[in-house]
Amino acid sequence: MSLLENKNGLEALLMGNDAISRGALEAGVNVVTGYPGTPSSEIVEQLAKVAEARNLYVEWSVNEKVALEVAAAGSYARLKAMCVMKQVGVNVAADSLLHIAEYGTRGALVLVSCEDPGALSSTNEGDSRPYAKMMEFPLLEPGDFQEAKDMAKWAFELSEDICSIIMLRSVTRLSHASGNVTMGELPDLTPKAVFEFEGLPMDQMKGPILAFPTLVDPLRRRQLEKLSKAVAAFEKSPFNTYIGPEKPELLIIASSVCQLYVKEALTLLDLWGSVGLLKLGTTWPLPPRLLEKYLKINEKILIVEEGTPFLEDNIKALAAEKARQVGIKTFFGRKDRTLPPVNELNPDLLIQAINKIMGGSYQPVSDDYKAIATQIISAGAPTREMTFCPGCPHRASFWLIHNVLKLDNRKGFLCGDIGCYSLGAGPCGFSTIKILHAMGSGIGMASGFGKFSRFGFDQPVMAVCGDSTFFHAVMPALANAVHNQSNMILVVLDNSGTAMTGFQPHPGTPAGATGTNLPMLNIEKICQAMGVRVEVSDPFDLKGSQRIMLDLLEDEAKPIVLILKQPCALSPEKKGKKKFEMTIDETQCLADQCGCNRLCTRVFKCPGLIWDTQQKKTQIDEVLCTGCGVCADICPTGAIIAQEVR
């Protein structure tokens, strides 16, 4: 269904991210920015599709900090702005976020953080909610798909009412699941962007000299007043609801999609007559009167949330402050391990927790099922490893880097970065990456290692990044390495897009979020302008690229940049097109008798290669094979044949 349907009361099946997009449209959003990151990417993508019809400015920014700053400019121009990112992106935006929260807004400004409990598509389970408390701005957490739409719309209204940035937090199971949503109307607006400087709050300052302490005091007071207004709104918010008896045996306080898990668990346990559920959609600042009302009704309280015990800690603190009014409470949650301290929650885990507290015996999974599952696992059920796609240029790149460092024989190592190529730390990347942290940190750390010769450090150091990451966070670190003459090599894996999250454009591609033509920034020329030696090679040319890498390791004039350029196998320009038709000469495939010990299927492990256990030969999976031809170069007997498609 189109997000542009303008029929009030129309019911539609929407993914959570689409519901957030629709809520923004119903609020009259004008400016949308973001940086791609699962599970958030679809929000900007969907709004980009309707940008022309709704007169929106939609931008994939170079990183999350810039995205927030562009959105803030929209707010300062009295437009309604929304900035979208995943949880780790909030860390990137945090510097600007602190100041935007302090100085306030004019037009609405909503920060959407889509988070990844369980780290299904992230390197960590980062929780961005503590930023709301630390930087003192309101936090909203929708509990279902209807709320995702309605709360997104309300976030804009609240932002305008109190002149503050508002964080709307989603999680994977809300962003990427679907549910029924009743639509509202789309407004017919003709906004006029204008920036006006109204002066500093001089009347609140002490003395004639403007100094930071005299400026911060009134700003901070104003910020606290905004939070007080938010508390007043939260006390009567329809997004905070209670279901259950007046005097329950157990009170469950839940936020986000956890309230759905609780409802399912209580239904399966048939405990609605004895357990109450307080669902909180406004999780910072907490509504104290509302919580006092419900904390009074029971002594046992289970707090259910995704991520760190943020809500649990704050409710406990509130209960301690109001101990005279609410009495002494026993709290259960992630901290006391009634619920697991890590990973996603689900209804089964809630059932186990409720049984533990109330002494129930219901088993979400039967003993028979557990026994069968154990038998299957012990019988050697096949596992599915994380791996690069068939024909992925990163597999060839890591093959090259791994082998070159071994040939160099000086214990050289590779610092990694964030992208599809993070898999280079695992078997499909031949465990080549040894250090893996945040975007841009690979070259930052390599820049450090490359300066430690005075301490006897003599190992070659390389760093790897993708083309989108190069613009996101690598350029400052490269400038640092150049300026300080660090002895390191940067390898840019340029696959022509932000491939891991869906081929969103970046400054090195010729289009923007809405498909409009934009100038491309050339990574090679940028690096040359910084004064470093730059080489460009095709990772599918194993021999030529290996020769270049070995030469770079010998060059003492570092830092050096090597760009391994080959489009992603799934990119629109390559998908469904084969350069080579791959076949196996079975007379040359010696399999277990070969000195390589099945190098192709045991080590190289492209999914397009199959080990035929009956024939004892390697086979080509014609469905998966993309015809890149790399496997022909790694076969020591020449059994894999690449015939160019004409």
Side-chain angles (χ1 to χ4, degrees):
M1 194 218 74
S2 170
L3 290 179
L4 295 178
E5 292 284 349
N6 200 10
K7 185 177 180 182
N8 191 26
L10 176 69
E11 190 171 12
L13 182 67
L14 293 183
M15 193 166 76
N17 280 348
D18 291 349
I20 292 172
S21 300
R22 173 68 187 203
L25 289 173
E26 290 184 10
V29 66
N30 311 117
V31 177
V32 181
T33 66
Y35 184 81
T38 306
S40 72
S41 304
E42 295 85 1
I43 298 172
V44 175
E45 288 178 338
Q46 290 298 327
L47 291 170
K49 293 176 182 177
V50 300
E52 184 175 354
R54 294 297 300 173
N55 190 29
L56 310 181
Y57 176 68
V58 182
E59 172 184 296
W60 282 122
S61 305
V62 69
N63 62 33
E64 293 87 352
K65 179 176 183 290
V66 174
L68 182 59
E69 289 159 352
V70 173
S75 169
Y76 296 155
R78 301 193 184 278
L79 299 173
K80 299 182 180 184
M82 179 170 72
C83 183
V84 184
M85 59 193 68
K86 69 181 295 179
Q87 80 278 4
V88 288
V90 181
N91 302 325
V92 179
D95 189 5
S96 293
L97 179 57
L98 172 64
H99 295 91
I100 291 167
E102 182 179 26
Y103 298 150
T105 59
R106 284 193 172 132
L109 180 56
V110 177
L111 171 60
V112 179
S113 176
C114 297
E115 313 204 347
D116 189 20
L120 302 174
S121 56
S122 309
T123 56
N124 61 64
E125 286 190 286
D127 187 337
S128 64
R129 293 178 297 169
Y131 280 115
K133 182 177 182 180
M134 177 172 63
M135 298 181 180
E136 298 178 322
F137 56 82
L139 168 66
L140 309 178
E141 294 190 69
D144 58 32
F145 309 99
Q146 184 67 50
E147 282 195 354
K149 193 272 291 184
D150 293 342
M151 202 175 279
K153 180 182 178 183
W154 185 54
F156 284 86
E157 297 168 359
L158 180 63
S159 177
E160 288 187 328
D161 286 345
I162 68 173
C163 296
S164 172
I165 188 170
I166 308 294
M167 177 182 280
L168 180 76
R169 184 204 191 217
S170 180
V171 293
T172 302
R173 301 303 178 186
L174 178 63
S175 285
H176 284 172
S178 299
N180 289 343
V181 176
T182 302
M183 306 291 204
E185 292 184 355
L186 296 178
D188 186 13
L189 302 173
T190 54
K192 170 67 175 175
V194 60
F195 175 76
E196 297 173 331
F197 180 66
E198 298 171 352
L200 295 168
M202 300 298 294
D203 58 318
Q204 300 180 51
M205 301 204 179
K206 301 174 182 178
I209 300 174
L210 176 59
F212 282 110
T214 58
L215 174 60
V216 168
D217 182 70
L219 287 175
R220 181 82 198 292
R221 290 179 185 276
R222 188 173 64 179
Q223 195 172 3
L224 294 175
E225 289 171 3
K226 293 175 184 179
L227 282 181
S228 297
K229 291 179 180 178
V231 168
F234 290 177
E235 292 284 11
K236 55 186 180 182
S237 170
F239 300 114
N240 300 324
T241 58
Y242 176 77
I243 307 172
E246 290 186 10
K247 295 289 184 180
E249 295 177 36
L250 173 67
L251 173 66
I252 300 178
I253 303 177
S255 65
S256 188
V257 292
C258 294
Q259 63 106 10
L260 297 177
Y261 306 154
V262 173
K263 288 178 178 177
E264 183 173 340
L266 292 180
T267 299
L268 289 171
L269 294 171
D270 193 22
L271 286 177
W272 281 110
S274 53
V275 177
L277 169 61
L278 175 60
K279 194 277 293 181
L280 288 181
T282 64
T283 50
W284 186 260
L286 291 173
R289 291 200 304 275
L290 178 76
L291 279 166
E292 179 183 337
K293 173 183 176 182
Y294 289 104
L295 287 173
K296 287 178 178 179
I297 67 176
N298 185 265
E299 291 183 1
K300 295 181 180 179
I301 299 162
L302 171 63
I303 300 176
V304 186
E305 59 190 311
E306 289 287 26
T308 60
F310 173 79
L311 185 62
E312 181 179 345
D313 286 345
N314 291 323
I315 289 177
K316 285 178 178 177
L318 180 67
E321 290 175 7
K322 294 183 173 291
R324 288 186 177 180
Q325 294 92 334
V326 303
I328 304 301
K329 304 296 173 184
T330 302
F331 287 96
F332 305 91
R334 287 192 182 264
K335 271 204 160 178
D336 72 339
R337 312 244 168 158
T338 300
L339 292 168
V342 299
N343 221 319
E344 288 185 298
L345 298 178
N346 59 52
D348 288 356
L349 293 173
L350 263 296
I351 288 171
Q352 293 171 15
I354 295 168
N355 281 341
K356 183 177 179 180
I357 297 168
M358 301 189 69
S361 59
Y362 180 92
Q363 286 185 283
V365 179
S366 69
D367 290 335
D368 290 342
Y369 183 90
K370 290 179 183 178
I372 293 170
T374 302
Q375 289 175 6
I376 292 172
I377 293 170
S378 60
T383 58
R384 184 179 180 185
E385 294 180 350
M386 295 180 70
T387 189
F388 292 119
C389 301
C392 177
H394 296 336
R395 179 180 283 103
S397 297
F398 286 114
W399 182 266
L400 280 163
I401 297 170
H402 176 272
N403 291 345
V404 164
L405 289 174
K406 289 294 185 183
L407 287 169
D408 183 73
N409 199 30
R410 287 183 287 163
K411 297 184 179 179
F413 59 97
L414 179 69
C415 301
D417 220 297
I418 303 301
C420 294
Y421 50 90
S422 298
L423 291 175
C428 66
F430 322 109
S431 302
T432 309
I433 291 176
K434 305 304 181 186
I435 297 175
L436 180 63
H437 289 285
M439 293 186 76
S441 66
I443 182 175
M445 292 190 177
S447 176
F449 284 118
K451 293 302 298 179
F452 297 157
S453 60
R454 69 179 62 197
F455 306 112
F457 184 86
D458 59 1
Q459 297 165 256
V461 183
M462 303 175 77
V464 67
C465 76
D467 44 331
S468 182
T469 303
F470 178 85
F471 294 106
H472 178 284
V474 166
M475 289 173 63
L478 178 58
N480 184 78
V482 173
H483 180 67
N484 291 291
Q485 297 183 300
S486 180
N487 185 13
M488 52 80 63
I489 297 172
L490 171 65
V491 182
V492 181
L493 307 181
D494 186 351
N495 62 1
S496 304
T498 316
M500 185 170 70
T501 53
F503 297 100
Q504 292 84 4
H506 60 65
T509 59
T514 58
T516 53
N517 292 329
L518 295 174
M520 295 173 60
L521 302 187
N522 187 295
I523 295 176
E524 180 183 1
K525 291 182 179 179
I526 290 170
C527 294
Q528 288 172 341
M530 290 188 181
V532 298
R533 175 184 172 186
V534 182
E535 297 289 342
V536 181
S537 188
D538 182 349
F540 288 171
D541 177 10
L542 294 182
K543 292 180 181 178
S545 296
Q546 178 174 298
R547 192 164 50 247
I548 292 172
M549 277 194 195
L550 288 169
D551 178 60
L552 296 182
L553 284 169
E554 294 299 322
D555 191 337
E556 294 183 0
K558 294 187 177 72
I560 298 172
V561 174
L562 171 63
I563 301 172
L564 293 177
K565 192 171 180 64
Q566 178 66 231
C568 173
L570 299 178
S571 64
E573 65 185 279
K574 286 184 68 175
K575 196 169 183 180
K577 301 172 185 176
K578 288 187 177 183
K579 183 177 181 180
F580 297 102
E581 196 63 48
M582 308 303 297
T583 57
I584 302 292
D585 182 348
E586 295 189 2
T587 64
Q588 296 297 314
C589 182
L590 303 180
D592 289 328
Q593 305 304 314
C594 178
C596 74
N597 193 18
R598 294 197 289 116
L599 181 72
C600 55
T601 55
R602 185 181 59 85
V603 179
F604 191 67
K605 284 187 174 180
C606 175
L609 296 170
I610 305 169
W611 173 243
D612 189 326
T613 56
Q614 294 183 344
Q615 297 292 328
K616 302 295 182 183
K617 302 287 183 182
T618 295
Q619 301 292 339
I620 303 293
D621 187 326
E622 295 183 1
V623 175
L624 294 180
C625 178
T626 63
C628 70
V630 175
C631 58
D633 288 334
I634 64 105
C635 178
T637 66
I640 305 176
I641 300 169
Q643 185 173 3
E644 191 167 357
V645 177
R646 298 187 184 278

